[in-house]
Amino acid sequence: MSAREVTDEITVDMLPATGTSYTTFDDVKGSVSNAVYGGSTAKSETNIQIKKSADFFYIVVPDGALKSISIEYAPSKTARDIQIYTSDKQIISGSGTAASTLTSSSPTWVNTTGKNYFVLKTSGGAAYLTKISVAWEAEDGGTVTETVAAPVISPADGSELSEGNNTVTIGCDTEGATVYYTIDGSVPTVESDMYSAPFQLTSSATVKAMAVKDGMNNSPVSSVTYVYRVQGVFSLVISEDELVDGEMYIIAAAEFDMAMGNATKQNNRPAVAVVKSWNNLENPSDQVAWVQLVRQDAGWALKVTNGDLAGKYLYNSSNSKNYLVAADEIKAVATIGVSDAGVATVKFTTNAPKDWIRYNSSSDLFSCYGSGQSDIALYRKVSAVATPVIVADDENNVTISCETEGALLYYTIDGSAPTDRSIPYQPFSVDRTTTVKAIAYLGEESSAVATLEVKVPEMMSLAEFLDQKPADKVRVNGPLTVIYQNGDYMYVTDGQGSNVLCFGAVDDVYVNGNTLQYLYGRYDEFKGLPELAGPVCGPRGEDAGEVEPQTVTSLADMSRYALNSYLTLGAVGISGVKENNAVFTDSDGNTYNAYLNSNYGVAYPDDQTVRYYVTGFTSVYSNDKDVSLQFTPVSFVDEGTATGIVEISSDNDAERETVWFTIGGVRVESPTVSGVYVRVQGSRAEKVIL
């Protein structure tokens, strides 16, 4: 019977832990194979969390021969080393000599021990993994069982729901599969709700789903988390006259984009992120507490109307503790003062010294204090019309939109406050820096005013950009030709002697010879190296042909070249390699420092007994004390290697056609700048220095 390889991909949703508490298990079935796994893990966000210096994952029942184990480290977490221990029989604790160690640079182990039982163990602190992959060589028709496709939940993870936009659908690509789901974040089983039709959510939720079918492995668990937003605008209270019995308010931090939540955190109220726009707080999630002011003789009772605390009244419960708790009846009332700037003072009229509601930014909670911490503010629900959104593109075209269906938009461009008598909206453009203000109306009700200063960038040439060093965004006119791009690093030239390094993500991939009609960006320097920071690329132009580097045969001439010059040094020896640093030496003994940018994907050649033609850019080195010039390579060509030169056919040999190549192997019509070239004439190739 033949064998084939199958790979189990173990993710956090397949394991029983639902939070940061560690859960022990020995019955987790593989996602593809019939192997059974055990261990002890916790859940950290969407990651498998592993105890420090502890055994955490092992095989209970193998499925054939163990071929390999791979891990995928969680982004933005410390990548702890993980040891692999193997045995001929089941082990649940790693000891003795490890068979191998998995690291961030070597995350895969291929089994050559012939042993099929294993334990994974961390070597230091806690580790966080997004996935563990275990490959088996299983017998066809024997232990291999197909797995049901993972359910697809829509809308996608992280989507925001609201009234009228709250329908959830679940599908599965495996025909005949039955889907089970939960909406409370728990792992679904066949005892969970069976999916039969789209459903609506009316609150924030984590939806999880799995699919099953007779004769197949259950699918992996799919999971999405939604935030439900309550449509509406809450306006900053700037007068005590705006405190109204029975009205709804949000208690927020005055200087932070955080509001009081409707759950409990350490006998206090957790902070929930909100969106503020000028003096408004828009479309808060349902996790924000809606507090109703209830008038009492001595002040105001604060009644929470939603979430876990719905129907309960806030108060300070302790003389010695910073507590803000809730009770079914009114335990205390508060006096409320409001400044013109919108800072609210909410103090309970108890004798407890810690009676003042404040925001603790270090702990992200709202509590009661006697002094200190951050100011709070009150926001009152006043309108169902969403604040307009004003957007200006790179061509200074202005669009205004509003999430409130049927709302009418009006705007001004002279700095005045808009009304329903201002300019009715239709798309427009501006030719100078302009303050645009907009308002939305739905019947008699109006939105808050939105404001955007549309800055029209100054236009200039690349030479002017390098000379004037503008701190604000400008438009650098072209045509500009791309010399080199690797990720966030792109060099361009105007073809007239000015080059610049563009640093920042761009929305396309460019190669040598591509042209741009213009670039947006601002001037910056990295330790003295000129940069165009935050580049935004204009439309492409007609390709100009590859930009050829200037050739430098003597390193003594390097001082003649400006920063960011595109050069080929040659040929040079390489010595003194230490991490990214090295020293180049020409045939006359002249030297020049080099530094490899690890983001460029190149490395110094292993063989440093030969000389190389090195192509790259002039750069600068600074250690905050000394500044010196250096060279940043992007390619190395062995002096004795004619790379990139195609074979010359017998026909060419007969006609003795002359073909030119740069030393880097790029074919050119004929040399246009001085440098080192390879001239091929028939079957003869020779180096030519012009």
Side-chain angles (χ1 to χ4, degrees), residues 265-430:
K265 179 180 181 180
Q266 302 167 1
N267 292 305
N268 293 290
R269 309 278 70 80
V272 177
V274 290
V275 177
K276 294 180 181 178
S277 177
W278 292 90
N279 285 340
N280 293 297
L281 189 155
E282 301 180 4
N283 304 335
S285 78
D286 63 345
Q287 298 165 335
V288 173
W290 286 32
V291 178
Q292 183 182 45
L293 295 187
V294 181
R295 188 67 185 175
Q296 303 292 298
D297 291 340
W300 300 95
L302 309 180
K303 182 180 181 180
V304 181
T305 62
N306 64 334
D308 295 343
L309 302 181
K312 296 183 181 294
Y313 295 87
L314 300 176
Y315 73 103
N316 58 332
S317 66
S318 173
N319 287 329
S320 59
K321 302 289 186 180
N322 299 118
Y323 285 171
L324 177 59
V325 295
D328 292 331
E329 65 278 352
I330 298 174
K331 294 280 190 176
V333 297
T335 60
I336 302 177
V338 181
S339 73
D340 292 342
V343 175
T345 302
V346 181
K347 286 191 173 184
F348 290 107
T349 58
T350 61
N351 293 324
K354 299 182 178 182
D355 57 358
W356 189 11
I357 297 181
R358 306 283 283 167
Y359 171 61
N360 185 329
S361 60
S362 61
S363 299
D364 257 355
L365 54 80
F366 289 80
S367 187
C368 289
Y369 299 88
S371 61
Q373 305 303 329
S374 298
D375 289 332
I376 63 170
L378 299 180
Y379 288 80
R380 177 188 176 194
K381 191 176 188 304
V382 295
S383 175
V385 183
T387 302
V389 176
I390 309 171
V391 177
D393 65 17
D394 291 331
E395 299 296 327
N396 308 313
N397 298 309
V398 180
T399 58
I400 306 173
S401 61
C402 179
E403 292 182 354
T404 302
E405 186 176 355
L408 301 178
L409 297 167
Y410 301 87
Y411 72 94
T412 63
I413 56 175
D414 60 1
S416 62
T419 69
D420 57 358
R421 295 182 297 278
S422 300
I423 306 170
Y425 167 70
Q426 58 182 1
F428 62 97
S429 61
V430 296

Side-chain angles (χ1 to χ4, degrees), residues 14 50 157 260 401 456 482 504 582 685:
M14 296 176 60
I50 301 158
D157 184 41
M260 180 187 295
S401 61
V456 178
V482 176

Side-chain angles (χ1 to χ4, degrees), residues 12-140:
V12 69
D13 288 329
M14 296 176 60
L15 305 179
T18 58
T20 55
S21 296
Y22 286 91
T23 302
T24 300
F25 56 92
D26 60 5
D27 57 354
V28 171
K29 194 171 180 304
S31 62
V32 177
S33 76
N34 283 334
V36 179
Y37 301 93
S40 179
T41 63
K43 178 180 180 181
S44 173
E45 300 173 346
T46 59
N47 306 316
I48 301 171
Q49 180 178 329
I50 301 158
K51 288 181 181 178
K52 68 177 182 179
S53 302
D55 305 302
F56 71 92
F57 193 72
Y58 58 86
I59 183 67
V60 178
V61 179
D63 191 1
L66 175 64
K67 301 298 293 181
S68 65
I69 299 175
S70 297
I71 58 174
E72 185 176 291
Y73 286 102
S76 304
K77 298 284 189 180
T78 301
R80 312 280 187 192
D81 292 353
I82 292 176
Q83 276 84 42
I84 301 175
Y85 296 85
T86 59
S87 177
D88 292 322
K89 58 184 179 180
Q90 182 177 328
I91 53 174
I92 59 173
S93 179
S95 60
T97 301
S100 186
T101 299
L102 300 176
T103 67
S104 58
S105 60
S106 181
T108 299
W109 169 70
V110 177
N111 184 14
T112 59
T113 67
K115 300 175 181 179
N116 299 323
Y117 289 89
F118 67 85
V119 166
L120 303 186
K121 180 178 182 178
T122 55
S123 61
Y128 301 85
L129 306 178
T130 58
K131 184 169 61 178
I132 303 170
S133 300
V134 184
W136 302 95
E137 190 171 70
E139 295 290 338
D140 277 344

Side-chain angles (χ1 to χ4, degrees), residues 220-294:
V221 174
S222 299
S223 177
V224 298
T225 297
Y226 301 123
V227 172
Y228 191 91
R229 294 203 173 276
V230 181
Q231 299 299 297
V233 175
F234 289 75
S235 180
L236 179 66
V237 174
I238 58 174
S239 168
E240 294 172 24
D241 293 337
E242 298 179 65
L243 303 178
V244 180
D245 185 27
E247 291 287 335
M248 297 296 177
Y249 296 81
I250 288 175
I251 298 175
E255 299 178 357
F256 300 88
D257 291 340
M258 308 297 289
M260 180 187 295
N262 54 25
T264 299
K265 179 180 181 180
Q266 302 167 1
N267 292 305
N268 293 290
R269 309 278 70 80
V272 177
V274 290
V275 177
K276 294 180 181 178
S277 177
W278 292 90
N279 285 340
N280 293 297
L281 189 155
E282 301 180 4
N283 304 335
S285 78
D286 63 345
Q287 298 165 335
V288 173
W290 286 32
V291 178
Q292 183 182 45
L293 295 187
V294 181

